[in-house]
Amino acid sequence: MRVLVVEDERNLADAIVRGLRRKGMAVDVAYDGSVGHEMAFVTRYDVVVLDRDLPGVHGDQICADLVSSEALTRVLMLTASGTVADRVEGLQLGADDYLPKPFAFDELVARVQALGRRATPVTPPVLTVADLVVDPARRVATRGGAAVDLTRKEFGVLEELLKARGAVVSSEELLERVWDANTDPFTTTVRVTVMTLRKKLGDPPLIETVVGAGYRVPDPYVPGQVSA
């Protein structure tokens, strides 16, 4: 899941970023509304965690522009004011959810995860192909009933491939969906991650390489020629 945090309180923003990354999300951050507005339209994010009272471009404007663009991005609006009237106003602006400060981090994570599921075509809460079972909410993967120990990036790549339901996912798409903006776009990290992921998943191999296009996990899985 790709998340953008737009929050001008740097300590709070950095804490949110660290916490969401520990949950396996690819997270970018902007400390003012102008930068946040630009980033929100350059990259397709699943969720934008958006402070309402921002310098530069106000959070209300960012929210309204995202809604009018008909992007699939979901907006979780944060504010220091937690009155019913403020929550109603925020939702009327088009925000998908509204969380007053201070908040419990576990609640923030749960809301981001819930919104992330709504930012893409509906997928089941547990993803299965052949004897592979992946539970994104619990960050658990098993194959043939045995746990598969995956890094955050390996899990993220596997989740994106399964969510594609047999469609090809390019290296560029995986880089955008699983890694954050600090990653070198010319890196071989996607290829290396897929190689190690294949090894950990074992045989028969599930991930196919489509030469010149990307990777896929056929759905329903049919064994075929798999390239390195």
Side-chain angles (χ1 to χ4, degrees), residues 129-165:
V129 173
D131 59 348
L132 175 67
V133 180
V134 175
D135 185 337
R138 295 171 54 225
R139 310 297 294 177
V140 172
T142 61
R143 186 165 192 194
V148 182
D149 185 18
L150 301 177
T151 66
R152 295 173 189 168
K153 299 308 182 187
E154 291 164 355
F155 193 99
V157 167
L158 181 58
E159 182 182 357
E160 291 300 321
L161 292 175
L162 294 182
K163 284 163 60 178
R165 298 182 176 183

Coordinates of all heavy atoms in Angstrom, one line a residue, residues 129-165:
V129 N -4.0 -18.4 -3.8 CA -3.7 -19.0 -5.1 C -3.0 -20.3 -4.9 O -2.0 -20.4 -4.2 CB -2.7 -18.1 -6.0 CG1 -2.3 -18.8 -7.2 CG2 -3.4 -16.8 -6.3
A130 N -3.6 -21.4 -5.5 CA -3.2 -22.7 -5.2 C -3.1 -23.0 -3.7 O -4.1 -22.7 -3.0 CB -1.8 -22.9 -5.9
D131 N -1.9 -23.3 -3.2 CA -1.8 -23.6 -1.7 C -1.2 -22.4 -1.0 O -0.7 -22.6 0.1 CB -1.0 -24.9 -1.5 CG 0.4 -24.8 -2.1 OD1 0.7 -23.9 -2.9 OD2 1.3 -25.7 -1.8
L132 N -1.1 -21.3 -1.7 CA -0.6 -20.1 -1.0 C -1.7 -19.2 -0.4 O -2.7 -19.0 -1.1 CB 0.2 -19.2 -2.1 CG 0.7 -17.8 -1.6 CD1 1.8 -18.0 -0.6 CD2 1.2 -17.1 -2.8
V133 N -1.6 -18.8 0.8 CA -2.6 -18.0 1.5 C -1.9 -16.8 2.1 O -0.9 -16.9 2.8 CB -3.3 -18.8 2.6 CG1 -4.3 -17.9 3.3 CG2 -3.9 -20.1 2.1
V134 N -2.4 -15.6 1.7 CA -1.8 -14.4 2.2 C -2.8 -13.5 2.9 O -3.9 -13.3 2.3 CB -1.2 -13.6 1.0 CG1 -0.7 -12.2 1.4 CG2 -0.1 -14.4 0.3
D135 N -2.6 -13.1 4.1 CA -3.5 -12.3 4.9 C -2.8 -10.9 5.1 O -2.0 -10.8 5.9 CB -3.7 -13.0 6.3 CG -4.7 -12.2 7.1 OD1 -4.9 -11.0 6.9 OD2 -5.3 -12.8 8.0
P136 N -3.2 -9.9 4.2 CA -2.5 -8.6 4.3 C -2.7 -7.9 5.6 O -1.8 -7.2 6.1 CB -3.2 -7.8 3.2 CG -3.7 -8.9 2.2 CD -4.1 -10.0 3.1
A137 N -3.9 -8.1 6.3 CA -4.1 -7.3 7.5 C -3.2 -7.9 8.6 O -2.7 -7.1 9.4 CB -5.6 -7.5 7.9
R138 N -3.0 -9.2 8.7 CA -2.1 -9.7 9.7 C -0.7 -9.9 9.3 O 0.2 -10.3 10.0 CB -2.7 -11.1 10.1 CG -4.0 -11.1 10.8 CD -4.6 -12.4 10.9 NE -3.7 -13.3 11.6 CZ -3.5 -14.6 11.3 NH1 -4.1 -15.1 10.2 NH2 -2.7 -15.3 12.0
R139 N -0.4 -9.6 8.0 CA 1.0 -9.7 7.4 C 1.5 -11.1 7.5 O 2.6 -11.3 8.0 CB 1.9 -8.7 8.1 CG 1.4 -7.2 8.1 CD 1.2 -6.6 6.8 NE 2.4 -6.4 6.0 CZ 2.5 -6.0 4.7 NH1 1.3 -5.6 4.1 NH2 3.6 -5.8 4.1
V140 N 0.7 -12.0 7.2 CA 1.0 -13.5 7.3 C 0.9 -14.1 5.9 O -0.1 -13.9 5.2 CB 0.1 -14.2 8.3 CG1 0.4 -15.7 8.3 CG2 0.4 -13.6 9.7
A141 N 1.8 -14.9 5.6 CA 1.8 -15.7 4.3 C 2.1 -17.2 4.7 O 3.1 -17.4 5.4 CB 2.7 -15.2 3.3
T142 N 1.3 -18.1 4.1 CA 1.6 -19.5 4.3 C 1.5 -20.2 2.9 O 0.7 -19.8 2.1 CB 0.7 -20.2 5.3 OG1 -0.7 -20.1 4.8 CG2 0.7 -19.5 6.7
R143 N 2.3 -21.3 2.8 CA 2.2 -22.1 1.6 C 2.2 -23.6 2.0 O 3.1 -24.0 2.7 CB 3.3 -21.9 0.6 CG 3.0 -22.7 -0.7 CD 3.9 -22.2 -1.8 NE 3.3 -22.9 -3.1 CZ 4.0 -22.9 -4.2 NH1 5.2 -22.4 -4.3 NH2 3.4 -23.5 -5.3
G144 N 1.1 -24.3 1.6 CA 1.0 -25.6 2.1 C 0.8 -25.8 3.6 O 1.2 -26.8 4.2
G145 N 0.3 -24.7 4.2 CA 0.1 -24.7 5.6 C 1.4 -24.3 6.4 O 1.3 -24.1 7.6
A146 N 2.5 -24.1 5.8 CA 3.7 -23.7 6.4 C 4.0 -22.2 6.3 O 3.8 -21.6 5.2 CB 4.9 -24.5 5.9
A147 N 4.4 -21.5 7.4 CA 4.6 -20.1 7.3 C 5.8 -19.8 6.4 O 6.8 -20.5 6.3 CB 4.9 -19.6 8.7
V148 N 5.6 -18.7 5.6 CA 6.7 -18.2 4.8 C 7.2 -16.9 5.3 O 6.4 -15.9 5.5 CB 6.2 -18.0 3.3 CG1 7.3 -17.5 2.4 CG2 5.5 -19.2 2.8
D149 N 8.5 -16.8 5.7 CA 9.0 -15.7 6.4 C 9.5 -14.7 5.3 O 10.4 -14.9 4.6 CB 10.2 -16.1 7.2 CG 10.8 -14.9 8.0 OD1 10.1 -13.9 8.2 OD2 12.0 -15.0 8.4
L150 N 8.7 -13.6 5.2 CA 9.0 -12.6 4.1 C 9.4 -11.2 4.7 O 8.8 -10.8 5.8 CB 7.7 -12.4 3.3 CG 7.2 -13.6 2.5 CD1 5.9 -13.3 1.8 CD2 8.2 -14.2 1.6
T151 N 10.2 -10.5 4.0 CA 10.5 -9.1 4.4 C 9.3 -8.3 4.1 O 8.4 -8.7 3.3 CB 11.8 -8.6 3.7 OG1 11.5 -8.5 2.3 CG2 13.0 -9.5 3.9
R152 N 9.3 -7.0 4.5 CA 8.2 -6.1 4.2 C 8.1 -5.9 2.7 O 6.9 -5.9 2.1 CB 8.4 -4.8 4.9 CG 8.4 -4.8 6.4 CD 8.8 -3.5 7.0 NE 8.9 -3.5 8.4 CZ 9.5 -2.6 9.2 NH1 9.9 -1.5 8.6 NH2 9.6 -2.7 10.5
K153 N 9.2 -5.7 2.0 CA 9.1 -5.5 0.6 C 8.7 -6.8 -0.2 O 7.9 -6.7 -1.1 CB 10.5 -5.0 0.0 CG 10.9 -3.7 0.6 CD 9.8 -2.6 0.5 CE 10.3 -1.3 1.1 NZ 9.2 -0.3 1.2
E154 N 9.2 -7.9 0.2 CA 8.8 -9.2 -0.4 C 7.3 -9.4 -0.2 O 6.6 -9.8 -1.2 CB 9.5 -10.3 0.2 CG 11.0 -10.4 -0.2 CD 11.9 -11.3 0.7 OE1 11.3 -11.8 1.7 OE2 13.1 -11.4 0.4
F155 N 6.8 -9.1 1.0 CA 5.3 -9.3 1.2 C 4.6 -8.3 0.4 O 3.5 -8.6 -0.2 CB 5.0 -9.0 2.7 CG 3.7 -9.5 3.1 CD1 3.4 -10.7 3.7 CD2 2.6 -8.6 2.9 CE1 2.2 -11.1 4.1 CE2 1.3 -9.0 3.2 CZ 1.1 -10.3 3.8
G156 N 5.1 -7.1 0.3 CA 4.4 -6.0 -0.5 C 4.3 -6.4 -2.0 O 3.3 -6.3 -2.7
V157 N 5.4 -7.0 -2.5 CA 5.4 -7.4 -3.9 C 4.4 -8.5 -4.1 O 3.6 -8.5 -5.1 CB 6.8 -7.8 -4.4 CG1 6.8 -8.6 -5.7 CG2 7.7 -6.6 -4.5
L158 N 4.4 -9.5 -3.3 CA 3.5 -10.6 -3.4 C 2.1 -10.2 -3.3 O 1.2 -10.6 -4.1 CB 3.8 -11.7 -2.3 CG 3.0 -12.9 -2.2 CD1 3.1 -13.7 -3.6 CD2 3.3 -13.8 -1.1
E159 N 1.8 -9.3 -2.4 CA 0.4 -8.8 -2.2 C 0.0 -8.1 -3.5 O -1.2 -8.3 -4.0 CB 0.3 -7.8 -1.1 CG -1.1 -7.3 -0.8 CD -1.1 -6.3 0.4 OE1 -0.1 -6.0 1.0 OE2 -2.2 -5.7 0.6
E160 N 0.8 -7.3 -4.1 CA 0.4 -6.5 -5.3 C 0.2 -7.5 -6.5 O -0.7 -7.3 -7.3 CB 1.5 -5.5 -5.7 CG 1.6 -4.3 -4.8 CD 0.3 -3.5 -4.7 OE1 -0.3 -3.4 -5.7 OE2 0.0 -3.1 -3.6
L161 N 1.0 -8.6 -6.6 CA 0.9 -9.5 -7.7 C -0.4 -10.3 -7.5 O -1.2 -10.6 -8.5 CB 2.0 -10.5 -7.7 CG 3.4 -9.9 -8.1 CD1 4.5 -10.9 -8.0 CD2 3.3 -9.4 -9.5
L162 N -0.8 -10.7 -6.3 CA -2.0 -11.4 -6.0 C -3.2 -10.5 -6.3 O -4.3 -11.0 -6.8 CB -2.0 -12.0 -4.6 CG -1.0 -13.1 -4.4 CD1 -1.2 -13.6 -2.9 CD2 -1.1 -14.2 -5.4
K163 N -3.2 -9.3 -5.9 CA -4.3 -8.3 -6.1 C -4.6 -8.1 -7.6 O -5.7 -7.8 -7.9 CB -4.0 -7.0 -5.4 CG -4.2 -7.1 -3.9 CD -3.5 -5.9 -3.2 CE -4.0 -4.6 -3.6 NZ -3.4 -3.4 -2.9
A164 N -3.5 -8.3 -8.4 CA -3.7 -8.1 -9.8 C -4.5 -9.2 -10.5 O -4.9 -9.1 -11.6 CB -2.3 -8.0 -10.5
R165 N -4.8 -10.3 -9.8 CA -5.6 -11.4 -10.2 C -5.2 -11.9 -11.6 O -6.0 -12.0 -12.5 CB -7.1 -10.9 -10.3 CG -7.6 -10.5 -8.9 CD -9.1 -10.1 -9.0 NE -9.6 -9.9 -7.6 CZ -10.8 -9.5 -7.4 NH1 -11.7 -9.5 -8.4 NH2 -11.3 -9.3 -6.1

